[in-house]
C-alpha cells in the first residue's frame, strides 16, 4: 500500500490532466481526480471530493492538492466529515508541481508526513539530510554527461529521485537534494549537461553506482 493522492480543481479537465501527469511518475499510487461541479460546470463538489478521498485511501493516508482557495475550503469540509480525518492532509503546494512531487514520494514508499513535505518542498529551505546516525565520512563523487534528448525532465527526474531514495545515503545533484523532485526539476538540466553527483552515508557508493547505471540506461527512457 502507498499514500494516496487527491487532486481538487475547479475544472474537471485540469484535475484529470494533473492526475494523468502525476500517474506517469507513480504507476502504483492511487491518484483520484475531483474536478468541477456535479453537473460538469466550473467549481468544486463536496460529493466528488468525498468520493475521491474514499478511492485514494488505502490505509496509509491521503494527501490532497487544491488549485484555489475555495477548493481548499470544500476539501476541508470533506476532511472534517471523513471517518479518519487524521489520515488526510491538505498540502499547501502548487497543484501540478506538488502533485508530481508527492506522487514520486509516495511511489518511493514514503509515509504521509514525508509525502506532504515533498509536495510542499519544505526541504528546499534546508540542507540535504544526513543518512542514518553514522558519521557521514568522505563524500563520494560521480560526474557524468546527460544523454537524454530532453535532459532531466519530469520522467527521468522521477527515476533519479526514486533511485536516490532507495539508499541510506544523502545524495545531491549539482548541490541540491537528489531525493527532492522539485529541486531536481528546478535545475533545468538539458541534454549534454555535465552533472556532478555526491553522496555520503553508509550506502554512498552503492547509491552512486545505481545512479551511474540509471544514466547509462538514459534514466529509463
Amino acid at each position: 500500500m502507498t499514500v494516496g493522492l487527491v487532486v481538487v480543481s475547479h475544472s474537471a479537465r485540469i484535475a484529470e490532466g494533473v492526475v494523468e501527469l502525476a500517474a506517469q511518475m507513480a504507476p502504483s499510487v492511487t491518484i483520484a481526480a475531483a474536478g468541477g461541479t456535479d453537473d460538469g460546470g466550473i467549481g468544486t463538489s463536496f460529493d466528488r471530493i468525498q468520493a475521491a478521498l474514499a478511492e485514494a485511501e488505502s490505509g496509509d493516508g491521503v494527501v490532497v492538492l487544491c488549485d484555489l482557495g475555495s477548493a481548499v475550503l470544500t476539501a476541508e469540509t470533506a476532511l472534517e466529515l471523513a471517518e479518519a480525518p487524521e489520515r488526510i492532509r491538505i498540502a499547501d503546494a502548487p497543484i501540478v508541481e506538488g502533485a508530481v512531487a508527492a506522487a514520486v514520494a509516495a511511489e518511493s514508499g514514503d509515509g504521509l508526513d514525508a509525502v506532504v513535505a515533498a509536495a510542499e518542498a519544505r526541504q528546499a529551505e534546508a540542507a540535504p539530510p544526513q543518512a542514518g546516525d553514522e558519521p557521514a565520512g568522505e563524500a563520494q563523487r560521480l560526474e557524468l554527461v546527460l544523454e537524454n534528448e530532453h535532459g532531466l525532465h519530469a520522467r527521468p527526474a522521477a527515476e533519479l529521485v526514486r533511485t536516490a531514495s532507495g539508499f541510506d545515503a544523502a545524495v545531491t545533484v549539482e548541490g541540491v537534494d537528489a531525493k527532492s523532485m522539485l529541486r531536481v526539476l528546478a535545475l533545468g538540466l538539458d541534454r549534454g549537461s555535465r552533472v556532478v553527483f555526491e553522496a555520503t552515508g553508509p550506502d554512498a557508493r552503492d547509491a552512486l553506482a545505481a545512479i551511474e547505471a540509471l544514466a547509462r540506461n538514459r534514466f529509463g527512457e
Side-chain angles (χ1 to χ4, degrees), residues 48-147:
R48 288 193 174 192
I49 295 173
Q50 195 173 49
L53 289 172
E55 178 184 347
E57 174 63 278
S58 67
D60 289 339
V62 179
V63 175
V64 183
L65 287 302
C66 302
D67 61 355
L68 298 172
S70 57
V72 175
L73 293 176
T74 309
E76 287 177 340
T77 302
L79 187 155
E80 290 172 359
L81 297 176
E83 291 185 4
E86 70 279 2
R87 293 207 304 265
I88 304 171
R89 300 279 296 279
I90 300 175
D92 182 11
I95 190 169
V96 179
E97 295 92 335
V100 170
V104 172
E107 180 74 13
S108 298
D110 287 349
L112 185 59
D113 289 342
V115 173
V116 173
E120 296 179 344
R122 291 173 183 162
Q123 64 269 50
E125 301 177 359
Q130 295 297 320
D133 297 323
E134 301 180 17
E138 183 178 353
Q140 305 297 314
R141 190 174 187 273
L142 168 67
E143 185 173 339
L144 53 83
V145 176
L146 293 179
E147 297 181 358

